[in-house]
Amino acid sequence: MKTYPNSVTSKLPGVGTSIFATMSQLANEFNAINLSQGFPDFEISKELIGLVNKYMKQGFNQYAPMPGLIGLREAIAEKTFKLYSAQYNPDKEITITAGATQALYTAISAFVKEGDEVIVFEPAYDSYIPAIKMNGGTALCFELHPPDYKTDWSSVKKMINHNTRMIIINSPHNPTGTIVTAQDLVQLEKLTKDTDIIILSDEVYEHIIFDNYEHQSVLRFPGLAERSLVVSSFGKTFHATGWKMGYCIAPVNLMTEFRKVHQFIVFACNTPIQHAIAEFIKNEANYSGIGKFYQQKRDFFVNALKNSKFKVLTSSGTYFQLLDYNKITKESETDFAIRLTREFKVASIPVSVFYHKNIDHKVLRFCFAKSEETLEKAAEILCRI
Ligand SMILES: Cc1ncc(COP(=O)(O)O)c(C=O)c1O
């Protein structure tokens, strides 16, 4: 193809191929165990597949309503009330999205304008900052550090000014596996009281939490819920990341603006899958057990690593485990992750890629949403390093 003859001005000049694609490609090339990208390597529920099939055969194959099927929104409202004692109107305050990433982008587009500042905690999921930039905003990053990646709220307070439009939080947290406590959210509530700051709370791993902790959703805190958009992902909850299905929940005045943008980004989402999830999610057992399910995998992986030189950091949620390799080498995270893939055949993700300044603490992220056989093989190799 002849190239486009005029000049191209990139809206994201610093952005190249993501490290996730690079590491997965390397893993394939070197036939390595791929613990880099976050996706399960096991089957999803047969019942859920059967339900999607059933609704396709029944002819539910045309556009769903713009905000999503009302039956699914009602089921989400019920679950939200049961779990967090928060009452949301399914008609006006819940929207089904094409995965959490779309919900996050839509929320940022709906509220962030030229000149606005958004506070982001780094290491951060990779879609937040590009979405802020694409909408003319500026990301102000608050750095969290190992081993516990704790937030110092008095320092966050100093970042707030009249341009602060939004604060993005994420718990359970990718990539660190840390969680916010009720005390953290009380601090955030105090910080934002009497401001017009909106909270965008990424809670895609709400059901993947360990050690008897309860997920602290912003929805439990009325002073936060009134200014929050909460994003969740069925991809994470039902081990079906390829389906790209999620939702956003927010008070009516925020959701009205969210939907104005949502309708022009995707309009509506996959119809038969919405019918299937609406039926499947009514049975609480289909999501309430996944914390225990992944905790077993975490414990299996961590236990298999007990004789390794890697230091295991605490993972209280998500399906990620951070390993600190300060005792092994001084190589940069990226160099070491590449060498681990090429020479030792285990792929991971350098945590430095989740900081815009590529801060290097010598910590790698491993995904344990894999079969025990895969985890055992990977751990065996890591113990030899
Ligand atoms: C913190 C976080 N937010 C959002 C997403 C995106 O979820 P989805 O696949 O539903 O778009 C992910 C996926 O890895 C994630 O880890």
Side-chain angles (χ1 to χ4, degrees):
M1 176 63 69
K2 237 174 123 222
T3 51
Y4 175 66
N6 301 319
S7 62
V8 176
T9 313
S10 175
K11 289 183 91 173
L12 293 171
V15 172
T17 311
S18 90
I19 187 77
F20 306 99
T22 307
M23 292 310 293
S24 278
Q25 201 183 327
L26 258 193
N28 284 339
E29 199 178 319
F30 289 90
N31 207 14
I33 300 171
N34 190 0
L35 304 190
S36 62
Q37 226 175 340
F39 62 87
D41 75 345
F42 37 84
E43 287 303 309
I44 71 164
S45 156
K46 286 202 168 42
E47 182 192 343
L48 185 53
I49 290 178
L51 287 170
V52 177
N53 207 354
K54 176 179 97 176
Y55 285 108
M56 279 183 169
K57 283 185 179 155
Q58 283 181 8
F60 293 100
N61 298 305
Q62 307 309 328
Y63 292 130
M66 183 273 280
L69 284 187
I70 188 64
L72 179 54
R73 289 183 275 140
E74 282 167 355
I76 292 167
E78 230 170 80
K79 167 172 101 81
T80 304
F81 184 69
K82 205 158 45 183
L83 292 177
Y84 309 126
S85 308
Q87 201 131 32
Y88 281 81
N89 178 343
D91 195 26
K92 297 192 164 68
E93 300 182 314
I94 297 172
T95 299
I96 310 303
T97 62
T101 312
Q102 184 242 306
L104 292 163
Y105 189 83
T106 304
I108 291 166
S109 287
F111 296 101
V112 175
K113 299 184 297 297
E114 198 71 41
D116 284 345
E117 291 180 2
V118 180
I119 296 178
V120 175
F121 296 89
E122 284 192 324
Y125 180 61
D126 63 342
S127 82
Y128 305 154
I129 295 178
I132 294 163
K133 284 190 183 157
M134 296 267 279
N135 286 285
T138 305
L140 290 194
C141 296
F142 186 89
E143 277 171 26
L144 304 170
H145 299 283
D148 54 9
Y149 298 93
K150 268 307 238 182
T151 303
D152 168 14
W153 292 102
S154 58
S155 303
V156 176
K157 188 173 179 185
K158 292 184 193 137
M159 295 166 78
I160 293 179
N161 61 63
H162 63 278
N163 291 322
T164 312
R165 175 89 288 244
M166 183 180 267
I167 299 178
I168 304 181
I169 60 169
N170 169 218
S171 178
H173 184 256
N174 176 12
T176 66
T178 56
I179 51 176
V180 294
T181 62
Q183 204 41 44
D184 285 315
L185 294 187
V186 167
Q187 301 277 341
L188 181 61
E189 195 168 17
K190 268 196 212 147
L191 264 181
T192 50
K193 193 170 185 293
D194 301 324
T195 72
D196 57 5
I197 296 172
I198 288 168
I199 310 283
L200 177 55
S201 185
D202 180 343
E203 303 186 14
V204 298
Y205 299 101
E206 64 179 319
H207 302 299
I208 311 183
I209 186 157
F210 314 136
D211 307 321
N212 295 321
Y213 284 116
E214 274 198 323
H215 171 55
Q216 293 301 326
S217 173
V218 294
L219 300 176
R220 292 182 192 269
F221 297 79
L224 286 176
E226 66 180 21
R227 60 177 69 250
S228 294
L229 296 115
V230 174
V231 169
S232 193
S233 169
F234 295 122
K236 309 294 179 192
T237 302
F238 298 131
H239 317 306
T241 58
W243 286 7
K244 295 301 287 184
M245 292 292 290
Y247 62 90
C248 181
I249 189 161
V252 62
N253 55 343
L254 299 184
M255 186 48 75
T256 304
E257 294 306 312
F258 179 95
R259 284 185 182 172
K260 285 183 193 172
V261 178
H262 172 80
Q263 66 184 330
F264 297 121
I265 293 183
V266 287
F267 184 69
C269 303
N270 189 303
T271 307
I273 292 181
Q274 289 193 60
H275 277 284
I277 294 177
E279 193 171 326
F280 193 67
I281 205 173
K282 284 200 187 112
N283 179 0
E284 202 179 324
N286 286 332
Y287 58 83
S288 63
I290 74 162
K292 281 215 168 65
F293 172 82
Y294 278 115
Q295 184 174 328
Q296 257 176 13
K297 291 197 178 289
R298 179 204 63 177
D299 292 347
F300 181 88
F301 188 49
V302 167
N303 191 45
L305 287 168
K306 68 176 183 290
N307 294 324
S308 87
K309 289 203 191 101
F310 287 93
K311 182 174 150 206
V312 174
L313 303 188
T314 305
S315 171
S316 302
T318 74
Y319 39 52
F320 300 114
Q321 177 62 59
L322 295 191
L323 299 180
D324 173 324
Y325 64 85
N326 272 291
K327 277 198 193 146
I328 297 174
T329 171
K330 290 200 172 354
E331 278 165 282
S332 75
E333 290 179 4
T334 302
D335 287 349
F336 187 46
I338 290 173
R339 188 161 72 84
L340 264 187
T341 311
R342 284 196 172 137
E343 285 180 26
F344 294 92
K345 311 218 176 299
V346 179
S348 59
I349 296 285
V351 175
S352 53
V353 302
F354 297 91
Y355 292 97
H356 75 285
K357 289 185 189 159
N358 290 113
I359 297 169
D360 195 314
H361 293 111
K362 315 262 176 273
V363 178
L364 301 177
R365 188 197 78 175
F366 295 80
C367 173
F368 56 79
K370 309 291 170 190
S371 68
E372 287 197 350
E373 195 192 352
T374 305
L375 294 175
E376 191 169 19
K377 270 194 212 148
E380 228 174 71
I381 296 171
L382 295 175
C383 284
R384 279 194 257 123
I385 296 166

